[in-house]
Amino acid sequence: MTNRRQLLTGAAGIAAAAMLGSRAAQAQSSELTVAGPLGDVWLGSENAKVTVIEYASMTCSHCAAFHKDTWPALKAKYIDTGKIRFTLREFPLDPLATAGFMLARCNGNDKYYAMTDLLFAQQRNWAFTEKPVDALSAMVKQAGFTQESFEACLKRQDIYDAVTAVKDRGAKAGVDSTPTFFINGQKRSGALSIAEFDKILEPLVAG
């Protein structure tokens, strides 16, 4: 028969678990507020009510599908109109994806999205070939790299460490797959369609 002491002990355990859960949520939230060593590259109005943080990997086919199928509509409907503020953060799942993000960072943040857009759009032509590094080298020459600058970029320890730091902080925030989105801090995983974004964003924008 349950006695009063057992009830009190059980209640204390529940309260402690709730407190730990709250602290974990706060820790995850605080991880999201910190930009990586190279800074976040934000798109959209600084005064937007809604922020969207995407964690992606350059070799993730689901990420490429999102950037092909959803990203243009999301940008036109919500970012370009000032309704949301968006940033893409690095969460490479393999060394090749790390190399892709390093190349996106090496020529400065003003060229970050031009490079990530190119890498996602051409993903099949470099990430899934017999010689992906050679294919990557050939492709980024379209964006102004030479063989020498390509090799020099991939040797930069500071860029490598910065990309890795963003991934590690993302993992602490709860990222365990790509793409993962944090919409005003709320986690959503998977390559969301524009219809799914509409359901999430329209109430937040209206509010």
Side-chain angles (χ1 to χ4, degrees), residues 11-182:
I14 292 170
M19 185 177 293
L20 288 172
S22 176
R23 288 176 179 172
Q26 290 174 358
Q28 289 180 346
S29 178
S30 67
E31 297 294 344
L32 291 175
T33 63
V34 181
L38 301 176
D40 285 326
V41 187
W42 288 99
L43 299 174
S45 171
E46 292 184 7
N47 299 319
K49 295 179 181 179
V50 183
T51 59
V52 177
I53 299 171
E54 177 192 2
Y55 284 88
S57 176
M58 294 308 323
T59 54
C60 159
S61 58
H62 296 291
C63 301
F66 165 78
H67 280 269
K68 174 179 178 291
D69 299 329
T70 304
W71 170 246
L74 181 71
K75 185 173 185 296
K77 190 171 184 179
Y78 293 102
I79 298 172
D80 294 345
T81 57
K83 294 177 181 178
I84 72 170
R85 198 166 181 235
F86 175 95
T87 192
L88 169 66
R89 287 182 179 173
E90 300 94 335
F91 200 84
L93 297 177
D94 52 62
L96 190 60
T98 300
F101 275 124
M102 291 177 68
L103 291 164
R105 287 287 192 172
C106 270
N107 282 342
N109 287 351
D110 59 324
K111 297 182 180 179
Y112 179 67
Y113 286 108
M115 180 61 75
T116 57
D117 286 348
L118 175 64
L119 292 173
F120 280 131
Q122 298 293 324
Q123 187 188 76
R124 289 187 178 182
N125 297 327
W126 64 273
F128 303 110
T129 61
E130 290 185 3
K131 296 181 178 180
V133 176
D134 290 345
L136 184 58
S137 172
M139 193 196 65
V140 299
K141 288 173 184 175
Q142 301 173 34
F145 278 89
T146 64
Q147 186 61 32
E148 291 74 20
S149 63
F150 171 80
E151 293 176 2
C153 175
L154 297 186
K155 291 177 182 177
R156 286 189 58 177
Q157 189 67 39
D158 60 327
I159 301 288
Y160 175 86
D161 290 344
V163 170
T164 302
V166 173
K167 179 183 178 180
D168 291 345
R169 191 173 291 278
K172 291 179 181 178
V175 180
D176 53 13
S177 63
T178 56
T180 291
F181 302 91
F182 288 91

